[in-house]
Amino acid sequence: MVEARTYPAGVTSWIDVDCGDVEVAKVFYGGIFGWTFADATPPTAPWRYVIAQLDGEDVAGIGGPADPGAEQPVSAAWNTYVAVDDAQAVAGRVVDAGGGIRVPPTPAGEGGISVVCVDPAGVEFRLWQAARRLGAQITNTPGAWNFSNLHTADAVASRAFYTEVFGWSIDDLGFSTMIRRPGYGDHLAATVDPNIYERQSGDMVPPGFADAIGWVVPLPPDQTPHWHVAFTVADRDETATAADRLGGTVLSTSDSEWTRDALIRDPQGATFTASQFTPPS
């Protein structure tokens, strides 16, 4: 039996997308990532939520009105959740650190408890106190979540806030800024990824990478800060072509020493990155 993937407090653990029409989102994301879907809400619920799966494992959620024609328009966006042991207590820390609460701790059926928060810059993120839904069960493989990255114009203020709330270490590596939850690598080594330290022992791997949960991406002051979701794909260009065919828009592409990326907007307006890992040979 495959061991369930668990997330220590302070580690990003789940993503989902809010949209106006769940069926439209299923066609698009199923077409580009190969996802299948299972309904997580009863047929009579006013808000529909489906669990996207890859090879039978949970990868993400899709939420929207059960009757798309009967609700106010939904602003489509990907959301990132951080695992917590006590949603009420961490919500208090968010406020004490200068953030805010948009939706207080709310049970999500038997899955767990969620909280919708904003950091001092107004960037929305969410807390997840897991019960039956532990978080993403497959990551960093084609079609699955890779990282959630904080796009911000004020890295200093962001570092102060998230360090206070979650105990993160935000490390300037020179070429990039890495977000770590200290101890996460030890947790992975003891559970679902026993070879993580051996696999990441090369000279080109930055210190502490086993603890990495995301990156800080600098933004110019005139752009809106946000948490941004990236997915691993086998082929950036094939994914971009599929996205275009299914009604999405490829906003830009870029190549680096390590990745080939495409910034994509889905048919309902949510943006994300498709990232092909292309390490130096």
Side-chain angles (χ1 to χ4, degrees), residues 3-280:
E3 181 175 3
R5 188 183 187 103
T6 56
Y7 293 86
V11 174
T12 47
S13 62
W14 185 243
I15 53 170
D16 62 18
V17 62
D18 292 332
C19 62
D21 192 318
V22 171
E23 288 302 316
V24 169
K26 286 171 60 178
V27 170
F28 178 76
Y29 289 104
I32 65 170
F33 292 141
W35 291 351
T36 57
F37 305 93
D39 278 293
T41 47
T44 56
W47 183 263
R48 186 181 178 196
Y49 196 83
V50 301
I51 303 297
Q53 298 181 322
L54 189 65
D55 298 327
E57 301 287 351
D58 295 355
V59 289
I62 298 175
D67 181 357
E71 298 289 334
Q72 294 296 317
V74 174
S75 179
W78 277 97
N79 308 301
T80 294
Y81 294 72
V82 182
V84 297
D85 293 331
D86 186 328
Q88 189 71 51
V90 178
R93 292 210 302 268
V94 167
V95 174
D96 291 343
I101 305 300
R102 285 186 173 163
V103 181
T106 304
E110 298 178 352
I113 297 172
S114 68
V115 187
V116 181
C117 309
V118 291
D119 70 14
V123 176
E124 185 173 299
F125 65 96
R126 302 186 178 192
L127 310 178
W128 182 248
Q129 180 183 328
R132 190 165 64 88
R133 294 282 179 194
L134 301 177
Q137 292 300 295
I138 183 170
T139 62
N140 301 319
T141 193
W145 180 29
N146 176 223
F147 280 121
S148 286
N149 302 316
L150 177 60
H151 291 219
T152 179
D154 192 343
V156 173
S158 296
R159 177 183 285 108
F161 173 78
Y162 289 104
T163 297
E164 181 175 348
V165 174
F166 297 121
W168 290 353
S169 178
I170 300 179
D171 305 335
D172 185 352
L173 304 178
F175 63 90
S176 191
T177 301
M178 179 171 62
I179 305 171
R180 293 191 302 115
R181 180 60 173 97
Y184 185 39
D186 291 342
H187 174 82
L188 291 172
T191 55
V192 295
D193 195 353
N195 299 318
I196 186 169
Y197 288 115
E198 291 81 359
R199 194 174 64 254
Q200 297 181 359
S201 61
D203 293 338
M204 301 183 72
V205 179
F209 186 64
D211 296 332
I213 60 171
W215 303 85
V216 176
V217 178
L219 282 182
D222 62 339
Q223 292 191 21
T224 304
H226 61 282
W227 277 98
H228 183 81
V229 173
F231 295 94
T232 300
V233 297
D235 188 297
R236 187 270 312 272
D237 294 338
E238 288 185 3
T239 302
T241 298
D244 183 69
R245 184 182 71 250
L246 291 164
T249 302
V250 179
L251 301 175
S252 64
T253 59
S254 60
D255 295 349
S256 72
E257 186 179 13
W258 291 88
T259 63
R260 303 181 72 229
D261 297 334
L263 178 64
I264 297 171
R265 184 171 59 221
D266 77 13
Q268 301 184 74
T271 60
F272 62 93
T273 291
S275 184
Q276 177 186 350
F277 185 48
T278 54

